Amino acid sequence: MGTVYDYIIVGAGSAGCILADRLSASGEHRVLLMEAGGEDKGFWFKLPVGYIKSYFNPQTNWMFYSTPQTHLGGRSLYAPRGKVLGGSGSINAMIYVQGQRQDFDDWQRAGNPGWGFDDVQPYFRKLENHPQGASAGRGEQGRIGITPMKGRTHPICDDYLAACDALGLPRSEDFNGAQFEGSGIYETNIRRGQRSSSSIEYLAPARSRSNLTVMTHTQALRLLYAPGSANSICGVRVRQGDRDFDVQAQREVILSAGAVGSPQLLQCSGIGDGDRLNGLGIAVRQHLPRVGHNLQDHLCASFYYRANRPTLNDEFNSLWGQMRAGLQYLLTRRGPLSMSVNQAGGFFRGSTHQPRANLQLYFNPLSYTIPALPNANLKPEPYSGFLMAFNACRPSSTGQIQITCADACERPLIDPNYLSTAHDQEEVLQAIRLIRRLSGTAPLRNLIKEEVAPGLAIHSDAQMLAYFKDHCGSIYHLCGTCAMGPDAQTSVVDAQLRVHGVQGLRVIDASIFPNITSGNINAPTMMVAEKGADLVLSDKPH
Ligand SMILES: Cc1cc2nc3c(=O)[nH]c(=O)nc-3n(C[C@H](O)[C@H](O)[C@H](O)COP(=O)(O)OP(=O)(O)OC[C@H]3O[C@@H](n4cnc5c(N)ncnc54)[C@H](O)[C@@H]3O)c2cc1C
């Protein structure tokens, strides 16, 4: 028998790094954090625009693809996932959005006491180190550095804001403040011009603790059951290089392997739909039919424009522009390299019947296409360009993650079942109509030389939907595959994040979302980890 730990955390992503810090902080518990990928060392992880380097890098990215999507003409969509300390939080675009009050109130209404917005807001505050100080909704003592991009954005973002004003859309001074709905400038989890991930801010300082062990390049293969017990977890079988061995947990194993990895490990360990597992020759330990189901994501498409004024394309496409941006970054930690390219945007109602914002927009002062081929580079278009992108806040399509064999090293099937409901198709049309109305206002008409794609020849609903189906992509917010709820028939974990019917096992990451939140989901995932750590620590062993 190898070393025995109190807690074993599988997956050092956005959630896992926070758990490793919080559970080891008192010094009382021996904690093991294991991660399939390696260290997040080096300049590109810190430089905000550096994420383009990991977008197609198999060393730091699982580079999954979805199954062919029935409602997208059979296209398979790219699903990058971080495979490195910090997980997807080390390779993401750093847009920081808490979400809409109703998102979390719906979590609570789904039978999860303690997860309404008023309950989770203190955990958002706990995370945040906001330069403008604390307020009802914002924290200033937390670890994650927040940089509002307001006042730093490219000048053409003002034309977008003026276009929103011209349509009479509300303004949001802060999407994480008093008013969520409206046009505005995004905040980012960036500190002094560098990525502020949970790995950098929580895990790195905790690594000097003697009671925290971090194993990189270590992949969990399956959960281990206590001898003589049907469903009490006592450890994990892992693979390091070509060596397989067991690690033991005296208290709990916590799965933080993300929305793909966590349900995969449950299924490989006999926890999932009994019939399906039997069909794969896997002994069923706990029949939990919803493991892997309820997969949700934000599906997004872009409208591309040629501008009659310089944009970031001019800066990034010229040697002089690159040198200037590089110098500005090195000397001041400011400028375009220090920010996300998703600078402006907002949350809007797609129709007057909507009770709240149901669409998210991005205005990027840079236009680029994401290549279909994994060996290609993300490159700005060779002209002064910008783009507007959109996704629905709360799409109703749900899909699933399913293993095809007991081997956790085999990729599971990822089927988000995108755009499978009439509701989601209608929201796509609402968003496209909004973008066309925006581009028709005087401030944007004065900026736009040409709508490059889809182009003005595409205007009927049928043409718009066809454009969307041909060009949409994931915005990388997979979640919901081990959903929290009170009933083992309809959910996977309870409100304490314990797996129904299994002892010594929790899931704490984006897979526990009962419903996807409005906006980008890294902040809610880190909130889940902060609250999850409290739940673990307050659960005294019997
Ligand atoms: C390209 C990209 C851009 C994004 N942009 C944004 C953004 O701008 N804003 C935002 O809010 N969100 C963004 N997201 C989404 C956000 O980053 C993720 O939703 C969030 O990081 C998920 O956190 P997690 O802890 O659930 O999982 P992850 O952070 O994905 O962590 C899971 C970890 O578990 C490890 N793992 C998996 N299986 C095993 C195993 N068997 N054994 C050991 N380790 C394992 C993985 O390698 C990984 O490190 C983006 C995501 C991507 C990929």
Side-chain angles (χ1 to χ4, degrees):
M1 194 171 86
T3 317
V4 179
Y5 301 91
D6 294 307
Y7 299 108
I8 295 178
I9 304 160
V10 177
S14 292
C17 291
I18 293 179
L19 287 160
D21 169 52
R22 294 292 185 206
L23 300 186
S24 64
S26 71
E28 283 172 37
H29 312 297
R30 292 154 302 169
V31 178
L32 168 63
L33 175 68
M34 70 177 75
E35 166 55 44
E39 301 280 338
D40 57 338
K41 292 260 179 294
F43 178 66
W44 295 112
F45 288 111
K46 295 202 169 129
L47 182 74
V49 295
Y51 66 93
I52 55 170
K53 290 280 179 194
S54 45
Y55 191 77
F56 282 134
N57 180 355
Q59 305 302 316
T60 56
N61 190 330
W62 293 89
M63 294 181 60
F64 292 120
Y65 281 84
S66 76
T67 57
Q69 293 297 286
T70 310
H71 305 281
L72 303 180
R75 293 171 62 221
S76 288
L77 300 197
Y78 185 45
R81 299 276 88 198
K83 186 181 185 185
V84 60
L85 291 184
S88 301
S90 287
I91 67 162
N92 74 8
M94 296 153 294
I95 298 297
Y96 186 90
V97 179
Q98 294 180 354
Q100 217 163 167
R101 163 175 286 277
Q102 291 81 3
D103 300 332
F104 304 97
D105 288 348
D106 284 349
W107 289 18
Q108 171 143 290
R109 264 193 290 278
N112 299 301
W115 290 93
F117 187 67
D118 290 334
D119 304 300
V120 302
Q121 199 183 39
Y123 290 102
F124 281 116
R125 280 206 300 268
K126 191 173 181 188
L127 283 174
E128 296 169 3
N129 189 315
H130 200 285
Q132 282 149 15
S135 66
R138 313 309 312 259
E140 66 170 339
Q141 304 283 331
R143 306 279 186 84
I144 299 293
I146 308 292
T147 297
M149 286 189 284
K150 197 183 266 180
R152 301 173 173 211
T153 53
H154 192 279
I156 67 165
C157 293
D158 292 340
D159 301 74
Y160 159 79
L161 294 175
C164 294
D165 291 348
L167 285 186
L169 298 170
R171 245 327 154 98
S172 168
E173 291 308 316
D174 175 0
F175 300 129
N176 301 310
Q179 186 180 325
F180 181 77
E181 182 178 355
S183 63
I185 304 296
Y186 285 109
E187 294 195 326
T188 52
N189 51 291
I190 292 175
R191 182 200 293 278
R192 290 190 286 279
Q194 297 194 344
R195 176 183 296 275
S196 182
S197 66
S198 63
S199 168
I200 291 169
E201 308 292 4
Y202 286 78
L203 182 62
R207 284 181 85 171
S208 56
R209 293 179 192 147
S210 59
N211 60 323
L212 173 63
T213 304
V214 179
M215 290 182 184
T216 52
H217 298 294
T218 305
Q219 185 161 357
L221 300 177
R222 62 182 170 82
L223 299 165
L224 301 172
Y225 293 86
S229 110
N231 52 13
S232 179
I233 302 299
C234 69
V236 186
R237 165 78 41 93
V238 304
R239 178 165 299 166
Q240 229 175 33
D242 53 10
R243 191 169 78 96
D244 291 359
F245 58 95
D246 294 345
V247 284
Q248 313 286 330
Q250 238 163 24
R251 290 195 176 183
E252 291 190 18
V253 171
I254 299 165
L255 297 185
S256 300
V260 177
S262 289
Q264 178 187 24
L265 275 169
L266 290 176
Q267 291 169 354
C268 288
S269 310
I271 303 169
D273 181 78
D275 285 345
R276 197 183 268 268
L277 295 178
N278 274 327
L280 294 172
I282 298 172
V284 180
R285 292 295 193 140
Q286 184 67 28
H287 171 60
L288 271 186
R290 296 300 291 171
V291 173
H293 287 261
N294 191 47
L295 173 61
Q296 296 173 47
D297 192 11
H298 289 133
L299 189 63
C300 156
S302 299
F303 274 44
Y304 298 87
Y305 301 90
R306 194 184 286 265
N308 52 30
R309 267 182 278 144
T311 68
L312 278 184
N313 292 53
D314 301 83
E315 191 127 353
F316 289 161
N317 279 331
S318 85
L319 191 60
W320 165 238
Q322 288 171 16
M323 279 167 52
R324 194 174 48 197
L327 210 60
Q328 185 183 16
Y329 183 75
L330 288 176
L331 296 177
T332 67
R333 288 274 183 268
R334 285 190 168 236
L337 302 185
S338 72
M339 299 199 282
S340 180
V341 294
N342 309 111
Q343 297 187 355
F347 297 89
F348 305 102
R349 296 176 208 221
S351 87
T352 47
H353 306 300
Q354 288 296 331
R356 63 189 75 95
N358 66 324
L359 305 175
Q360 180 174 11
L361 254 58
Y362 297 95
F363 180 90
N364 295 10
L366 174 79
S367 72
Y368 50 92
T369 40
I370 296 178
L373 292 173
N375 51 1
N377 276 327
L378 298 177
K379 271 194 131 176
E381 302 289 1
Y383 50 77
S384 306
F386 70 93
L387 64 80
M388 286 197 273
F390 61 90
N391 60 261
C393 290
R394 296 266 303 263
S396 58
S397 299
T398 58
Q400 50 184 303
I401 304 282
Q402 292 295 344
I403 57 169
T404 56
C405 65
D407 183 354
C409 296
E410 288 292 322
R411 287 163 177 256
L413 298 178
I414 301 175
D415 178 9
N417 196 22
Y418 288 122
L419 211 64
S420 55
T421 65
H423 168 272
D424 292 359
Q425 299 191 6
E426 168 54 25
E427 289 195 323
V428 166
L429 293 174
Q430 288 177 5
I432 291 177
R433 287 182 205 124
L434 176 59
I435 289 207
R436 277 278 163 83
R437 283 171 60 218
L438 281 169
S439 59
T441 59
L444 282 185
R445 263 203 328 269
N446 291 337
L447 173 69
I448 295 170
K449 203 172 190 175
E450 181 194 358
E451 181 182 297
V452 179
L456 295 180
I458 308 285
H459 53 79
S460 70
D461 284 359
Q463 288 173 317
M464 296 288 198
L465 208 51
Y467 173 79
F468 184 82
K469 290 180 178 182
D470 287 348
H471 295 89
C472 65
S474 167
I475 205 154
Y476 326 126
H477 295 166
L478 300 178
C479 62
T481 47
C482 300
M484 172 170 62
D487 179 358
Q489 288 307 303
T490 55
S491 63
V492 177
V493 298
D494 66 14
Q496 268 64 50
L497 308 181
R498 296 174 297 216
V499 175
H500 289 301
V502 183
Q503 313 303 311
L505 181 64
R506 288 184 217 242
V507 181
I508 305 182
D509 60 24
S511 45
I512 67 96
F513 289 22
N515 50 264
I516 195 165
T517 54
S518 308
N520 314 63
I521 70 162
N522 197 35
T525 305
M526 294 192 288
M527 174 279 289
V528 164
E530 280 283 16
K531 185 168 164 69
D534 269 6
L535 293 171
V536 173
L537 290 171
S538 61
D539 199 1
K540 296 276 176 294
H542 307 291

